Amino acid sequence: MPTRRSFVAAGPAALSAVSLAGPAWAQAQGAAAASAAGATRQAPGFYRYKVGEIEVTAINDGFAPRDVEGFVRNADIAEVRQALQEAFLPPTGYQNTYNTLALRTGGKLVLVDTGNGDSGAPTTGTWMSNFRAAGFDPAAVDTVIISHFHPDHINGLRLKNGSAVFPKAEVMVPSTEWKFWTDEAQESRAPENRRPNFGVVRRVFGPMMKDVKQYEAGQELVPGVTALAAHGHSPGHMTFTVQSGNARFMILSDITNHPALFVRNPDWSPTVDQDADMARATRRKLLDMAAAERVQVAFYHAPFPATGHIAKDGSRFQFVPVQWTPAV
């Protein structure tokens, strides 16, 4: 296991993950986004709903362009492009969105994941302004629950200058995830394109390593929120069930990337899944569960506000977004 010194000593190269998009399409989309931002902006990206007595607020952190060339490792690119076209998306790629959740439960303000912070693509970094627009203060966050250690879920904990974003918050992480990403032996044998992630983990968690609380599957983390194992996307990836009275909700984290591809085609494997076979089995299991129970779900990478229901469609599924409502 690394020492505290080795955690803190992460170099600048560890500040960002491997590029998520092909250069040509990404550059075009980034330029279009920058041009649009200079002309006009949308309303703040937050959306509230209730699960029984628990208030849920989705907080958007922008997007990164995703080129689909080579992205699905077990499907022909023509099939992938067709799936995008059927969903009225560009056949070459799409906007990969980032959506965290803020929960008010048991008198606490709880975050599930933290977004990209100031370490993401130029089209991300909207999280804090949206969080504040929703009426929240980072100094008031009581607990941060992390689903897994990929950079777009943990970079929001700490700015590039080293300062903690949520100074009083308890930080809870999956024990299996912690063990994997803090293991120097795992880093030494990791594929080259995954090694920067170990540096991100050192940068983010190094200054707080003695205070981080590890959790297990089946554990109630805060009132009404229980961890549910969903390994495959990463070694210790977690999802969550939220229960309040008779109301139930599932936070499905990264069991899929864009629903038009991976809810619709659950056996497709994106390159971001570390264990493709395990991730496919997890995806089917949880989508089946959500469809059978008709429970509302939230995804990290679905189009904002990233919540809806799962409908079974033969051997496949459909994501049915909730109807927007002004009432909470």
Side-chain angles (χ1 to χ4, degrees), residues 23-317:
W25 192 79
Q27 288 171 9
Q29 291 292 299
S35 175
T40 184
R41 292 184 183 274
Q42 295 284 7
F46 69 89
Y47 185 72
R48 286 195 174 93
Y49 47 99
K50 297 290 286 288
V51 179
E53 295 303 311
I54 297 175
E55 180 188 88
V56 181
T57 305
I59 309 290
N60 181 257
D61 189 34
F63 72 95
R66 168 70 74 183
D67 189 331
V68 295
E69 185 72 44
F71 180 51
V72 183
R73 66 181 82 183
N74 62 341
D76 187 85
I77 186 61
E79 295 179 277
V80 177
R81 296 195 194 287
Q82 181 179 348
L84 290 173
Q85 288 180 306
E86 289 174 355
F88 297 91
L89 294 168
T92 53
Y94 60 89
Q95 293 182 359
N96 185 35
T97 56
Y98 305 93
N99 304 286
T100 76
L101 295 177
L103 312 178
R104 288 198 182 275
T105 177
K108 292 184 174 184
L109 177 57
V110 179
L111 301 184
V112 181
D113 292 326
T114 65
N116 293 277
D118 58 355
S119 298
T123 45
T124 65
T126 61
W127 189 92
M128 185 57 73
S129 61
N130 289 330
F131 184 70
R132 291 188 180 279
F136 299 126
D137 180 348
V141 174
D142 296 291
T143 303
V144 178
I145 299 170
I146 298 297
S147 65
H148 65 296
F149 283 6
H150 288 170
D152 54 318
H153 296 256
I154 64 173
N155 263 330
L157 279 168
R158 188 173 304 282
L159 299 179
K160 286 190 289 188
N161 67 12
S163 60
V165 176
F166 311 105
K168 74 170 226 179
E170 169 188 57
V171 177
M172 306 185 74
V173 304
S175 61
T176 302
E177 197 77 351
W178 180 266
K179 181 178 179 180
F180 179 88
W181 292 107
T182 61
D183 186 341
E184 291 178 339
Q186 290 287 358
E187 180 174 9
S188 68
R189 57 178 174 260
E192 191 66 32
N193 66 348
R194 193 163 291 142
R195 288 183 186 173
N197 204 146
F198 290 86
V200 172
V201 171
R202 284 194 294 271
R203 182 188 74 83
V204 170
F205 292 109
M208 67 171 89
M209 62 180 299
K210 65 181 176 57
D211 299 316
V212 171
K213 294 188 176 179
Q214 298 178 46
Y215 67 83
E216 308 291 340
Q219 183 178 339
E220 186 177 40
L221 308 181
V222 295
V225 180
T226 301
L228 180 65
H231 306 340
H233 176 64
S234 71
H237 180 257
M238 289 284 188
T239 56
F240 309 92
T241 59
V242 180
Q243 187 86 35
S244 176
N246 293 325
R248 189 163 181 265
F249 177 65
M250 294 179 70
I251 302 172
L252 294 180
S253 306
D254 277 16
I255 69 159
T256 80
N257 198 265
H258 199 294
L261 296 180
F262 302 103
V263 171
R264 188 65 182 145
N265 303 280
D267 294 324
W268 285 2
S269 293
T271 56
V272 290
D273 285 350
Q274 289 181 232
D275 185 325
D277 291 340
M278 186 180 292
R280 283 195 298 270
T282 293
R283 187 177 305 119
R284 276 205 169 272
K285 176 183 177 181
L286 293 179
L287 292 176
D288 266 323
M289 183 187 301
E293 298 182 13
R294 298 180 63 84
V295 65
Q296 187 174 340
V297 304
F299 292 106
Y300 195 76
H301 292 295
F304 186 76
T307 185
H309 293 85
I310 302 299
K312 192 76 180 286
D313 182 12
S315 63
R316 305 199 291 176
F317 300 89

